[in-house]
């Protein structure tokens, strides 16, 4: 009889084509399914709580899968990590009830975006942060970000190819901190649209550099048009 398992993953998504399995391309889901299928002796389908784009990272991505293989939690962690590439690791694993589903059981998701705000780009942060060489005013960014809290139609911040049935999402947290030359943007919501976080970050950067006033964020949100917002920002600094 199959048992249901839950894991959390961390990964450096720099060289991967995102989370979701794609033929003839390296993806996180593809790597994990290959290893689990090898360990279990039968094909294993892995469900993710969310999807990440090419180049995006994760610190705690929740996944679930079913298997007849029986292992202790630490056995799954050590066994899977022994075969995964160094850029991907299972943090912990446990057996969960049959009705647990990584995607549909998730009540919220959280992303962080880290920006290197420095006149000179850092080779050490090239693939782990977005880079903005112009000075950013984080106070103005915080002021503009307030308009995004709550339940809204986020059409202005979704990708043109987004397939979500509705653009309405509830953002429950949007905080911005500075640590030296690093600026961190943390966003929690019940769910996200494709490129939603990177599009929000792009808009906040427009405000932070003084290109737009903080009130512009509310105007973009109300317009419900992708054409009026800022370009999609780099995937490098995004973490699920």
């Amino acid at each position: 009889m199959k048992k249901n398992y839950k894991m959390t993953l961390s990964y450096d998504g720099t060289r991967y084509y995102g989370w979701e399995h794609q033929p003839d391309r390296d993806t996180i889901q593809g790597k994990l399914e290959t290893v689990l299928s090898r360990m279990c002796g039968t094909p294993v389908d892995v469900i993710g709580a969310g999807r990440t784009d090419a180049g995006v990272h994760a610190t705690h991505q929740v996944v679930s899968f079913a298997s007849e293989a029986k292992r202790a939690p630490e056995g799954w962690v050590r066994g899977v990590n022994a075969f995964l590439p160094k850029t991907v690791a299972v943090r912990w694993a446990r057996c969960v009830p049959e009705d647990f589903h990584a995607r549909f059981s998730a009540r919220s998701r959280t992303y962080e975006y880290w920006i290197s705000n420095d006149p000179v780009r850092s080779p050490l942060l090239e693939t782990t942060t977005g880079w903005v060489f112009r000075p950013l005013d984080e106070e103005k960014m915080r002021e503009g970000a307030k308009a995004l809290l709550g339940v809204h139609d986020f059409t202005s911040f979704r990708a043109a190819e987004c397939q979500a049935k509705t653009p309405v999402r509830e953002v429950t947290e949007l905080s911005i901190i500075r640590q030296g030359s690093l600026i961190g943007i943390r966003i929690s919501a019940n769910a996200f649209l494709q490129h939603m976080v990177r599009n929000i970050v792009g808009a906040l950067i427009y405000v932070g550099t003084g290109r737009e006033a903080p009130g512009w964020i509310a105007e973009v949100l109300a317009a419900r048009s992708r054409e009026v917002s800022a370009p999609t920002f780099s995937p490098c600094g995004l973490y699920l």
Side-chain angles (χ1 to χ4, degrees):
M1 182 177 177
K2 288 187 176 182
K3 288 189 174 182
N4 202 20
Y5 294 97
K6 174 183 178 182
M7 290 178 171
T8 59
L9 302 178
S10 292
Y11 52 83
D12 178 345
T14 303
R15 60 175 294 269
Y16 294 96
Y17 288 88
W19 159 258
E20 193 170 19
H21 177 79
Q22 299 181 49
D24 303 320
R25 286 188 168 183
D26 278 344
T27 67
I28 304 298
Q29 185 181 35
K31 288 292 184 185
L32 183 58
E33 287 183 346
T34 297
V35 171
L36 286 171
S37 297
R38 176 179 177 181
M39 290 178 60
C40 298
T42 57
V44 174
D45 295 322
V46 177
I47 300 165
R51 301 174 182 176
T52 51
D53 298 326
V56 175
H57 318 293
T59 59
H60 296 80
Q61 169 138 354
V62 176
V63 303
S64 60
F65 67 95
S67 174
E68 293 182 355
K70 296 179 181 180
R71 287 175 177 262
E74 60 273 15
W76 283 113
V77 174
R78 290 197 301 267
V80 175
N81 285 343
F83 295 104
L84 284 173
K86 293 182 179 179
T87 48
V88 186
V90 175
R91 297 181 59 88
W92 54 260
R94 65 185 59 162
C95 187
V96 291
E98 291 183 12
D99 62 352
F100 178 82
H101 189 285
R103 180 183 175 189
F104 298 125
S105 297
R107 290 173 290 183
S108 67
R109 284 92 171 164
T110 298
Y111 281 92
E112 289 187 358
Y113 196 102
W114 286 91
I115 300 168
S116 174
N117 188 208
D118 195 292
V120 179
R121 66 175 179 83
S122 168
L124 300 180
L125 301 176
E126 183 71 20
T127 62
T128 55
T129 64
W131 176 48
V132 177
F133 65 87
R134 294 185 177 88
L136 288 170
D137 186 329
E138 64 270 25
E139 287 299 331
K140 288 185 177 179
M141 294 168 70
R142 291 190 189 106
E143 185 179 346
K146 292 177 182 178
L148 301 174
L149 289 169
V151 179
H152 301 287
D153 180 326
F154 283 92
T155 296
S156 296
F157 299 97
R158 73 186 297 187
E161 62 272 23
C162 180
Q163 298 179 353
K165 294 181 179 179
T166 173
V168 176
R169 295 291 186 268
E170 181 181 11
V171 173
T172 55
E173 176 189 4
L174 207 171
S175 58
I176 301 171
I177 64 169
R178 178 183 280 275
Q179 297 179 349
S181 62
L182 292 176
I183 290 180
I185 301 171
R186 182 182 176 92
I187 306 178
S188 296
N190 60 337
F192 288 89
L193 303 167
Q194 186 176 5
H195 293 176
M196 178 174 161
V197 177
R198 291 165 58 193
N199 289 334
I200 287 174
V201 170
L204 290 174
I205 287 171
Y206 268 29
V207 171
T209 58
R211 178 166 176 167
E212 299 287 352
W216 175 74
I217 298 291
E219 295 174 6
V220 170
L221 183 67
R224 299 181 183 179
S225 170
R226 183 74 193 97
E227 296 180 0
V228 304
S229 191
T232 304
F233 205 57
S234 163
C236 298
L238 185 58
Y239 298 80
L240 173 60

